[in-house]
Amino acid sequence: MDITLELIQELTQNEKMMWVVGGGSVVSENNGTGIKPPEVRNGYITIEANNWHFHISEQEVDGIQFVEADSHGGLKSYYVRFSKGWDETLARCYFPNPYLDDDEKRTEFQDDKYQAFISMKDKFVGKDGVVFVERASQG
C-alpha cells in the first residue's frame, strides 16, 4: 500500500483532527466531524466528512512531514504535511493541540493529545521518505 494512503487511512480514524487544504494565499480549514474512511479512484484519494470533501492525487504527493511548529501565543502545533516538492503544501492534518481544551481555550498540557502525535510520528517517520521537521516561528 502507498504510504500516503496508509497514513491518510490512520489520520481519518480520528474525528478530532483538523484538515487544512492548500498552503498558499487561500486555504480551507475543515474539522473532522463525521469523517469517513478514504476512498481511492483513478489515482485520487477522496477525504470526506459531514459537510466537506477534497481529492488529493497520490502521484502529486512526493513529500510527507510530521511537523512540530511554534504557533501563535507561545503555543506549539503538531501536524502532518503532505507536499509536492518541499515548497508546495497540498494539505495538512492537525492533531488536537495538547495546550488547548475542547473549547479551544488554553489549558494545562495534555500528554494524551501529545502522545497521539508522537505515536503516529514514531510509526511513520523513516518509512518511504517520511521525515520529522521542527519549525520555529518566523520573526
Side-chain angles (χ1 to χ4, degrees):
M1 177 187 308
D2 175 78
I3 191 74
T4 302
L5 178 58
E6 182 182 349
L7 180 52
I8 288 173
Q9 284 177 330
E10 291 225 14
L11 293 169
T12 56
Q13 291 178 26
N14 184 348
E15 284 196 345
K16 298 216 181 253
M17 304 297 261
M18 172 71 70
W19 290 84
V20 178
V21 181
S25 57
V26 176
V27 297
S28 175
E29 294 182 355
N30 307 286
N31 70 44
T33 304
I35 200 154
K36 300 171 177 84
E39 295 182 10
V40 180
R41 179 180 286 156
N42 299 325
Y44 284 85
I45 302 169
T46 299
I47 300 157
E48 180 178 1
N50 279 352
N51 62 351
W52 59 266
H53 76 275
F54 71 93
H55 310 281
I56 188 167
S57 168
E58 283 185 272
Q59 288 188 316
E60 293 289 309
V61 177
D62 60 12
I64 300 174
Q65 305 88 35
F66 276 78
V67 181
E68 177 180 316
D70 289 345
S71 188
H72 53 329
L75 297 175
K76 288 196 177 283
S77 295
Y78 303 91
Y79 58 92
V80 177
R81 177 178 178 255
F82 298 91
S83 64
K84 178 178 179 183
W86 188 253
D87 294 330
E88 186 178 348
T89 298
L90 301 172
R92 289 169 284 168
C93 184
Y94 284 81
F95 288 78
N97 195 304
Y99 298 97
L100 299 176
D101 65 17
D102 290 340
D103 295 320
E104 300 295 314
K105 304 272 191 259
R106 215 175 182 130
T107 189
E108 296 292 318
F109 182 78
Q110 302 163 84
D111 192 58
D112 58 324
K113 289 182 178 180
Y114 179 66
Q115 290 306 319
F117 171 79
I118 294 299
S119 173
M120 201 172 292
K121 175 182 78 75
D122 289 349
K123 179 176 181 178
F124 285 94
V125 167
K127 274 175 95 170
D128 294 337
V130 177
V131 298
F132 173 66
V133 177
E134 292 181 83
R135 293 206 167 124
S137 63
Q138 306 288 318

